[in-house]
Amino acid sequence: MNDADLLDRLDRRAGTAVDLLDRAVADVPVPLLDLDAAPAVDGAVRTPRPWRSPRLLAIAAAVLAVALVAAVAVAVQDDGSELPIATTGSHRRLVLPPALADDYATVIAAEDLPATLPDLELRVLVPDDAEAPWPDVVVEHVLDAADTTLSGEVVDIGGPEAMFDDESFAPNVGWVDGDTVRYIASTSLGREELIRLAAGIVETRLSAGEVPPGWDLLFTGSYADVVPALSLLAGRPHEASFVAYLDESEQSGLVVSTVRGGPERWRASYAMADEVTNIEVRGGQEAVVARFYGELVEVSWIEEGDTLVRAMPVAARTLDDASVDELVATVEQLVEVDEAEWQRLLAEHPVPDDESSAGSFEGSGEPVGDPDVIEEWSNDAASDPDYVAGVVARVDTFSARAVVRRTPDGGHVLVGEIQGLSSGAGQEQDLDSLAGSMAVTMTDGANLLVYGLVEASDMAFALRAIDGRPLNSAGAWSGTNPNVFVLLVEGATSLDEVGADRVVGVLGDGSEIVIPLR
Amino acid sequence: MDGDEAEDGVTGTYVADASFEAFYSREYRPLLRLAWTLTGRRDLGEELVQEAMVTVHDRWRTVAGYESPGGYARRVLLNGARSFERRRVAEVRALDRVARPGTVPDSAPPDDELWAAVRALPERQAQCVALHYLEDRPVADIATLLGISAATAKVHLHRGRLALAARLLDRKGEL
């Protein structure tokens, strides 16, 4: 039974259960309201929600970075001739032909990118009796205990402190092992299976790196191998080639990566996907459309048996099926280029140095600033009935958030807060309404926070200079309505220092709104 | 307040504000449905609804002006369910130990096998699944009500439904 059939049956059963419940409740008299009953909300004990591990922060950073990365122009063959076919000895490079590349404002061609995120080796395991395409996979990695904290539901795996977390990028079990925390994650194994596997690893006292009985090691790589979008930001795999096509807003486009690899590397590339659809591309080559965490979509395949190709759209919104179809249609148009042509592209159109990274997301998973404040931030969305929308972001030296709350008089207030290594700051703005857009700035004396809101949920944000150039900042937005955003600039305390005068919000269709800052 | 019986079956009036009274009588049963499935016992669900409605009543002057007072009430109820479970587990266990067999009424909701499986899901998944099935809410509404992004709500709902279905499959592969 496939997932669709399973869910269909579940829906039918749930529908019957709800009907029965409705009939049962219909006979319940509505009682007098006892105004002396103590509300359950006030004084409730909240379990602290620890910050995410650095791997998840890195993933979040990558989603933002791809949306904010700058681009360079791709060369166009003046004579309109087709580009030479690749005869590379390493791996194939695929690019859009000039006719399609012209539709984009700029493109980056890159390889040997500098690593901007800490390395994280991981291993992809499969059952030892499985064959390609290996429906069940487990991704295993280890973090320094100082860099991560367990989160989720406490589970028993036979000794060490362990938790099952089903609200992260991929469901996982993590447990403390000496001065490390070990994780096994899977989107195909269920909760009980993951817990049993973790318990088996603990019981047999397997060290990190040893393969559990009943399993085989399929692939060893880094997180960039298993998560889309991280490749460009992380500079890994080191041997991969990248080409990115972006429109004028730099918020929409396409990223194509190629690296030498076979079925094992390919399977690792969508190991963490929630949904996988099998298709064929480019003359009958098997491919998959993989969706990750509801946010990211990637099309991947093995080109001519030796090169793993991964194509991911750059988009400020979650893609719908029509957009995925468009992506698939685009990859059909990719052509190979030879080594000489590729080197020419690299030489003429490198990644600009000052825009190669949208803010630094390195550092430990530990919160920056007062732990009590950070804990309150983590709990607010779930515990505060007046919470409307909000977003939190962090860079190396400070965390910041913006929140919209209801006020007792029926209005709303926008709150901006900074939590630095040694100090914090906050400010509030009364809101006349949640319609329209606004942006304000604040500083803690060491860093700059630009924050605000717009009515549209389907929008990404960037800081722009007076001359329209995109500026280096790290940003996040809630994706709700109102859409609350924060843009963080380390080491600056005023708009004059960074030369910014506006925030640009880009809708999913590429249209923009400008929110003045002065 | 007097003891007049309102036409909707609510016995006695308890607030001076007629708008809250209408809200209370309209929302009581839908909230009870949610609370009953979240607690697994009708008596506990009723208590949870009472507590949530007291909170709403105390803030009614503000809540009445919200775009969705019902959404606010559900947020309060869902928040309350979290701490409610911890507070009541000890009481229920104590009561079950001292009561004679058969004296504790079976107040589980119909098909509690399904709702028990929902309760066993991670919190966010359980909330999304319950709101999806009980109130037929679209993902965007669920996201707004829970204060999370629509994409995140979609993931929680998808994973929750799959996990729920897996738990309910019997040995014959039937659901």
Side-chain angles (χ1 to χ4, degrees):
Chain A
M1 192 189 312
N2 59 33
D3 284 353
D5 290 337
L6 198 62
L7 293 179
D8 189 53
R9 294 191 187 196
L10 174 66
D11 289 348
R12 285 201 293 272
R13 175 166 177 180
T16 301
V18 171
D19 287 342
L20 291 172
L21 188 60
D22 280 343
R23 284 198 279 273
V25 169
D27 294 334
V28 174
V30 179
L32 188 71
L33 180 62
D34 179 6
L35 291 175
D36 291 329
V41 174
D42 295 334
V45 176
R46 306 283 172 209
T47 302
R49 295 174 65 89
W51 276 67
R52 304 294 188 182
S53 68
R55 63 191 174 93
L56 294 174
L57 292 173
I59 290 166
V63 175
L64 303 174
V66 173
L68 291 171
V69 71
V72 294
V74 69
V76 175
Q77 300 258 355
D78 288 337
D79 60 2
S81 61
E82 292 183 358
L83 295 170
I85 301 300
T87 56
T88 176
S90 56
H91 58 269
R92 302 167 193 271
R93 282 85 170 213
L94 302 186
V95 301
L96 287 177
L100 290 182
D102 284 347
D103 290 341
Y104 296 92
T106 52
V107 173
I108 298 174
E111 61 185 26
D112 292 335
L113 288 170
T116 57
L117 290 173
D119 197 0
L120 177 61
E121 182 183 279
L122 48 76
R123 305 183 314 149
V124 179
L125 307 174
V126 294
D128 59 7
D129 60 352
E131 297 177 352
W134 305 287
D136 290 329
V137 294
V138 169
V139 177
E140 177 190 24
H141 70 279
V142 179
L143 291 175
D144 192 314
D147 293 335
T148 186
T149 51
L150 292 173
S151 64
E153 166 204 352
V154 175
V155 293
D156 180 9
I157 62 169
E161 177 189 355
M163 285 190 171
F164 173 74
D165 182 0
D166 200 14
E167 295 186 347
S168 301
F169 194 78
N172 66 84
V173 172
W175 68 96
V176 177
D177 184 12
D179 56 359
T180 66
V181 177
R182 297 171 66 174
Y183 291 93
I184 53 171
S186 177
T187 54
S188 55
L189 265 61
R191 173 185 177 277
E192 299 304 320
E193 290 174 281
L194 267 179
I195 292 173
R196 272 199 300 275
L197 178 58
I201 292 172
V202 169
E203 183 181 19
T204 52
R205 300 177 185 275
L206 292 176
S207 303
E210 293 185 281
V211 179
W215 292 82
D216 276 340
L217 176 63
L218 182 72
F219 180 78
T220 299
S222 76
Y223 48 81
D225 286 298
V226 301
V227 178
L230 273 182
S231 300
L232 192 59
L233 177 65
R236 294 187 174 88
H238 181 69
E239 64 274 28
S241 304
F242 305 92
V243 58
Y245 300 89
L246 298 171
D247 66 6
E248 285 186 359
S249 72
E250 298 169 4
Q251 305 293 336
S252 176
L254 175 73
V255 175
V256 179
S257 73
T258 53
V259 67
R260 192 160 190 84
E264 294 80 7
R265 183 165 227 165
W266 184 24
R267 184 60 183 95
S269 73
Y270 59 93
M272 306 275 251
D274 282 316
E275 297 178 32
V276 175
T277 304
N278 296 302
I279 61 172
E280 287 185 357
V281 297
R282 303 173 62 77
Q285 297 184 91
E286 293 181 358
V288 301
V289 177
R291 285 186 180 270
F292 300 78
Y293 199 56
E295 301 275 0
L296 306 176
V297 175
E298 184 177 83
V299 176
S300 61
W301 68 96
I302 299 293
E303 179 77 8
E304 301 299 337
D306 57 21
T307 297
L308 172 63
V309 185
R310 302 171 71 175
M312 199 200 80
V314 176
R317 56 182 168 79
T318 302
L319 294 190
D320 56 21
D321 289 342
S323 301
V324 174
D325 290 342
E326 191 178 324
L327 170 64
V328 173
T330 301
V331 302
E332 293 282 1
Q333 308 302 316
L334 293 170
V335 296
E336 291 185 46
V337 293
D338 65 9
E339 185 66 23
E341 177 63 16
W342 178 250
Q343 292 301 324
R344 188 185 68 78
L345 291 174
L346 289 175
E348 293 185 3
H349 310 289
V351 175
D353 289 338
D354 62 346
E355 291 171 326
S356 60
S357 143
S360 169
F361 284 80
E362 293 185 24
S364 75
E366 294 299 317
V368 179
D370 187 331
D372 289 338
V373 173
I374 303 303
E375 179 184 318
E376 179 190 326
W377 287 9
S378 300
N379 289 338
D380 250 2
S383 63
D384 182 0
D386 291 323
Y387 183 99
V388 174
V391 63
V392 179
R394 66 179 289 275
V395 290
D396 262 355
T397 57
F398 75 104
S399 302
R401 76 161 179 171
V403 175
V404 173
R405 284 205 183 89
R406 298 180 188 86
T407 57
D409 60 0
H412 293 88
V413 64
L414 172 66
V415 179
E417 294 174 279
I418 292 177
Q419 265 297 302
L421 292 171
S422 59
S423 64
Q427 69 182 32
E428 293 188 358
Q429 316 279 331
D430 288 331
L431 298 175
D432 294 330
S433 79
L434 298 182
S437 60
M438 69 170 295
V440 292
T441 62
M442 64 175 294
T443 179
D444 62 349
N447 305 286
L448 184 67
L449 170 66
V450 179
Y451 67 101
L453 70 151
V454 299
E455 205 173 351
S457 60
D458 181 18
M459 182 172 286
F461 301 90
L463 200 58
R464 288 279 178 86
I466 295 171
D467 61 6
R469 287 176 301 112
L471 294 171
N472 195 14
S473 66
W477 44 93
S478 62
T480 53
N481 190 357
N483 196 353
V484 184
F485 65 88
V486 290
L487 296 164
L488 288 60
V489 185
E490 285 186 280
T493 58
S494 70
L495 295 175
D496 286 337
E497 278 186 61
V498 298
D501 75 336
R502 73 196 75 166
V503 172
V504 174
V506 182
L507 286 164
D509 61 5
S511 59
E512 297 184 352
I513 66 164
V514 174
I515 310 172
L517 290 171
R518 298 177 189 273
Chain B
M1 300 183 184
D2 58 30
D4 292 339
E5 193 166 310
E7 291 180 356
D8 58 4
V10 176
T11 54
T13 56
Y14 35 78
V15 292
D17 191 329
S19 66
F20 177 82
E21 185 176 329
F23 170 84
Y24 178 76
S25 57
R26 184 177 65 246
E27 294 286 357
Y28 182 83
R29 292 191 180 95
L31 288 175
L32 176 60
R33 244 181 7 165
L34 187 57
W36 195 355
T37 59
L38 290 178
T39 60
R41 283 175 56 143
R42 181 180 136 183
D43 53 344
L44 299 183
E46 289 174 338
E47 195 171 338
L48 181 60
V49 173
Q50 286 274 313
E51 292 186 3
M53 281 297 198
V54 167
T55 298
V56 174
H57 171 267
D58 289 347
R59 304 173 66 91
W60 184 245
R61 186 173 299 176
T62 303
V63 175
Y66 287 174
E67 185 177 326
S68 175
Y72 177 83
R74 279 156 182 76
R75 275 196 299 280
V76 173
L77 188 140
L78 291 173
N79 287 347
R82 193 184 302 132
S83 63
F84 191 89
E85 176 67 19
R86 284 191 289 270
R87 286 190 293 127
R88 293 304 181 195
V89 160
E91 294 181 20
V92 169
R93 284 177 181 162
L95 180 64
D96 288 346
R97 276 200 299 273
V98 301
R100 291 191 302 277
T103 59
V104 177
D106 180 11
S107 64
D111 194 4
D112 195 44
E113 182 187 21
L114 180 144
W115 301 116
V118 173
R119 291 193 294 275
L121 294 172
E123 183 180 57
R124 276 296 192 216
Q125 288 184 16
Q127 292 171 344
C128 290
V129 168
L131 290 169
H132 171 71
Y133 284 124
L134 287 172
E135 305 201 342
D136 199 22
R137 286 182 179 267
V139 169
D141 278 3
I142 294 174
T144 300
L145 198 147
L146 296 179
I148 58 179
S149 73
T152 303
K154 182 179 176 183
V155 170
H156 288 320
L157 182 59
H158 180 68
R159 289 182 183 172
R161 289 170 69 211
L162 283 178
L164 182 62
R167 286 173 194 265
L168 293 172
L169 272 179
D170 64 18
R171 292 179 183 175
K172 296 179 185 177
E174 297 294 327
L175 225 157

